[in-house]
Amino acid sequence: FAGETIIKTPDYYETGYKVYIGPQRYFVTSDVGDGRIQWYAFFALPPGTKRAPSGWGGSERDNQADPEENLVTYIKSLHEGWSDEVM
């Protein structure tokens, strides 16, 4: 899973890249300029567990079991109790 967001972090100007490594998962943030952060979330999930829409913004979610499901909420649930910085 991947995305881009605008978020203020206390160490934005000191850190350009962060990696959080945990059991069967890791999370990466990278400064892409103008206050934007690109993030990547990797999980050891069985093939076909979830399918995110491809492309940037406005993508149809036809290939998802529940097109109304919020994938960001799902990804946050996989990180629950892991690291406050990821949440």
Side-chain angles (χ1 to χ4, degrees):
F1 300 97
E4 189 175 294
T5 188
I6 297 173
I7 187 170
K8 290 185 179 186
T9 60
D11 60 353
Y12 180 80
Y13 292 104
E14 289 83 37
T15 307
Y17 193 79
K18 291 183 184 179
V19 179
Y20 304 86
I21 300 173
Q24 299 187 343
R25 60 190 162 184
Y26 67 97
F27 188 84
V28 177
T29 64
S30 177
D31 172 10
V32 291
D34 292 329
R36 296 172 304 147
I37 294 176
Q38 192 170 40
W39 58 266
Y40 307 89
F42 299 89
F43 306 97
L45 299 172
T49 302
K50 289 287 177 188
R51 181 181 174 96
S54 61
W56 294 101
S59 297
E60 296 296 321
R61 295 185 174 189
D62 299 343
N63 298 327
Q64 186 173 308
D66 178 2
E68 298 301 316
E69 181 180 27
N70 184 319
L71 289 176
V72 171
T73 300
Y74 172 71
I75 292 167
K76 284 183 174 183
S77 77
L78 294 175
H79 283 101
E80 201 167 288
W82 187 36
S83 171
D84 290 340
E85 287 188 45
V86 173
M87 300 304 280

